[in-house]
Amino acid sequence: SKAKLFDEKNDIKVTFKDVAGLEGAKEEIQEIVEFLKNPEKYTSIGGKIPKGALLVGPPGTGKTLLAKAVAGEAKVPFFSLSGSDFVEMFVGVGASRVRDLFKQAKEKSPAIIFIDEIDAVGRARGKNNFSGSNDERENTLNQLLTEMDGFGTNTNVIVLAATNRADVLDKALMRAGRFDRQIYVDLPDIRERREIFEVHLKPLKKSEDLDTEFLAKQTPGFSGADIANVCNEAALIAARNDKKAVDKQDFLDAVDRIVGGLEKKNKIISPEE
Ligand code: ATP
């Protein structure tokens, strides 16, 4: 089947309420919501609306969720794609696909474009450039830069991009008028883990013995995605045991399973250990 380059969603329901913790990031990105809701307020007095912001942080910390929440809060269409898809699936046509994407977003503006894993296309140019595929990647990156430079101040398309490797990105991406704002999305601390548990416990039938403070204490180093996994895993374990509600033991078992999975994953990533 033919792979789709990007996904377009016009009715995003995610709002800031769905994003637990991350107060600083939400505060910073709130400004982008304001721009999208009411661009004239800024442009009429000569202000320039930012074109892009980079969401930087470890995997599973809610970067995609936060980008969706911006679209949900501002009630604008959300165009999304992943940088790695770009490089793997669209050999030879990356640059023209970028053009298509921006064209469609402009037609529907105000709109958000979200590029996950921007490092896959956005690594610094001119390094290790021994293969044709690198030229392809560079063409795609150059087109992205061209598109961002090309929109006027009244285009009202804001590009959000996520990465966990801001250090490898081409500095040209961060230049003024491109991704000139960086928003940090870190692993949650204990208080934030508690809040994330609250969000993901909501849809579950819970037993009386559950308490989010305890759960937060059991999960140091967990990302939001890990916590969402724990909650779902605990529900599956409870159901498998014919329980009517998810209890503390189900959570402890779920945490063990997730920790086991994380350890395996780390072994694969660093085989020298
Ligand atoms: P990656 O870098 O791996 O793409 P990401 O930072 O984009 O990860 P998300 O895809 O947004 O992470 O998070 C995955 C899921 O984890 C979310 O859909 C949500 O269910 C849960 N999650 C992550 N962070 C949070 C959070 N702060 N509050 C609530 N849920 C969260």
Side-chain angles (χ1 to χ4, degrees):
S1 72
K2 213 160 154 211
K4 239 186 353 173
L5 166 74
F6 58 82
D7 192 45
E8 177 186 347
K9 289 212 166 63
N10 290 292
D11 192 20
I12 295 259
K13 297 279 187 244
V14 180
T15 67
F16 285 145
K17 275 211 282 311
D18 302 299
V19 187
L22 302 180
E23 293 310 324
K26 280 195 264 187
E27 208 167 285
E28 278 181 70
I29 219 163
Q30 172 66 39
E31 194 175 24
I32 292 182
V33 174
E34 299 302 324
F35 290 137
L36 288 167
K37 273 171 128 170
N38 198 356
E40 296 75 24
K41 179 169 145 187
Y42 298 87
T43 53
S44 64
I45 66 170
K48 285 200 184 93
I49 290 181
K51 293 175 179 174
L54 203 56
L55 305 176
V56 183
T61 46
K63 298 183 288 298
T64 305
L65 193 65
L66 192 60
K68 277 192 184 149
V70 172
E73 293 279 346
K75 300 192 171 61
V76 301
F78 184 75
F79 293 83
S80 65
L81 74 156
S82 145
S84 58
D85 288 351
F86 246 131
V87 178
E88 284 158 21
M89 305 198 300
F90 301 102
V91 178
V93 294
S96 74
R97 299 296 174 134
V98 170
R99 225 173 293 132
D100 280 357
L101 167 68
F102 278 80
K103 186 164 172 276
Q104 298 222 21
K106 276 184 243 176
E107 280 167 11
K108 295 253 174 112
S109 78
I112 288 279
I113 291 176
F114 176 63
I115 306 174
D116 201 3
E117 298 179 64
I118 183 132
D119 37 294
V121 263
R123 265 176 293 123
R125 289 168 293 183
K127 279 182 197 147
N128 305 317
N129 193 5
F130 304 115
S131 73
S133 71
N134 247 351
D135 290 341
E136 163 68 11
R137 189 183 63 76
E138 289 192 8
N139 288 340
T140 306
L141 173 57
N142 286 331
Q143 188 62 37
L144 177 63
L145 298 174
T146 303
E147 291 292 343
M148 289 187 81
D149 292 345
F151 22 105
T153 48
N154 53 4
T155 307
N156 304 332
V157 174
I158 294 184
V159 190
L160 299 176
T163 182
N164 34 54
R165 292 297 311 274
D167 57 311
V168 302
L169 292 181
D170 199 302
K171 294 287 168 286
L173 278 167
M174 270 84 104
R175 217 162 279 154
R178 295 171 181 166
F179 296 100
D180 49 10
R181 298 172 175 221
Q182 296 201 17
I183 298 174
Y184 289 91
V185 178
D186 273 325
L187 282 171
D189 62 18
I190 189 163
R191 189 184 50 79
E192 291 173 308
R193 291 200 298 280
R194 211 176 152 169
E195 289 172 23
I196 297 171
F197 267 111
E198 267 150 31
V199 168
H200 291 279
L201 282 175
K202 220 168 262 160
L204 306 186
K205 292 221 163 62
K206 299 165 280 284
S207 83
E208 297 287 315
D209 68 349
L210 270 189
D211 114 57
T212 51
E213 193 177 341
F214 173 80
L215 294 173
K217 272 191 192 141
Q218 299 300 313
T219 48
F222 278 43
S223 67
D226 297 332
I227 291 174
N229 261 335
V230 164
C231 292
N232 191 55
E233 191 67 39
L236 297 182
I237 292 171
R240 212 176 289 141
N241 293 303
D242 300 317
K243 291 183 188 169
K244 292 277 174 283
V246 195
D247 63 26
K248 200 166 174 174
Q249 191 56 50
D250 300 323
F251 271 90
L252 290 174
D253 293 346
V255 167
D256 277 349
R257 290 197 68 149
I258 305 290
V259 169
L262 291 176
E263 276 167 2
K264 238 186 251 153
K265 212 161 59 185
N266 289 338
K267 274 211 190 92
I268 295 165
I269 292 166
S270 45
E272 72 277 7
E273 281 179 8

